[in-house]
Amino acid sequence: MRQRLTAVFAILVATIGVMVAGGSSLQAQRGRDWALLGERTVTDRGDHDTIVATGVRGTFTAVKFEVQRHAVDFQRVVIHFGNGDDQKVELRDTIRAGGETRVIDIEGANRVIRSIDFWYDANTIGRGGRAVVRVLGRR
């Protein structure tokens, strides 16, 4: 009986080890796929901001916005590429604090992002409030 319990315990420990290793591997994979392009603190006094993405080099296939502190009501987004092209995106979503937008696929291939303009409704941030908007790019 004791040998059986020892064997069951060993299998249980091995299974948990594999699950933990697989979970951290998946998390590491996600971290490699998405790169922070930049962030801005937005207030109820504005309605437009620009994130310059010069700090990150390389090409991207998609972007998404993360919002912290207060909700932000996005109106539209314009992504400016290194070759001078633009991609206009009608977002029209209110993203709550701690949330993120849908993944926005980048049109074309081998796209270097120069900057991203975004327009938002400042009323959702609240009187005197500030929200942090982060843009991440997927390689």
Side-chain angles (χ1 to χ4, degrees):
M1 176 77 167
R2 186 174 183 163
Q3 285 179 332
R4 220 183 280 170
L5 285 175
T6 303
V8 168
F9 182 72
I11 291 170
L12 181 61
V13 168
T15 302
I16 290 172
V18 167
M19 289 170 59
V20 168
S24 62
S25 173
L26 181 60
Q27 191 173 23
Q29 173 95 18
R30 280 190 198 140
R32 277 193 305 257
D33 290 347
W34 290 97
L36 179 64
L37 298 176
E39 69 180 33
R40 296 287 294 181
T41 299
V42 299
T43 68
D44 60 346
R45 294 191 175 116
D47 66 353
H48 169 254
D49 261 298
T50 301
I51 293 179
V52 179
T54 58
V56 179
R57 303 202 189 282
T59 60
F60 295 92
T61 61
V63 296
K64 67 180 176 180
F65 290 80
E66 292 180 345
V67 174
Q68 299 168 352
R69 290 190 181 163
H70 286 278
V72 176
D73 185 12
F74 289 92
Q75 302 299 317
R76 71 183 176 112
V77 172
V78 178
I79 304 167
H80 304 282
F81 300 106
N83 67 357
D85 289 347
D86 295 331
Q87 178 177 335
K88 295 178 176 108
V89 180
E90 295 295 326
L91 205 52
R92 302 206 184 278
D93 286 330
T94 300
I95 307 303
R96 296 178 188 202
E100 61 185 36
T101 64
R102 64 180 167 83
V103 173
I104 302 165
D105 291 323
I106 301 293
E107 297 169 353
N110 299 322
R111 294 298 215 159
V112 174
I113 298 172
R114 188 182 70 221
S115 64
I116 299 173
D117 286 309
F118 60 98
W119 286 261
Y120 55 93
D121 182 359
N123 293 330
T124 56
I125 297 171
R127 188 174 198 158
R130 296 175 181 260
V132 176
V133 175
R134 301 175 76 213
V135 180
L136 292 103
R138 184 174 63 203
R139 297 196 184 276

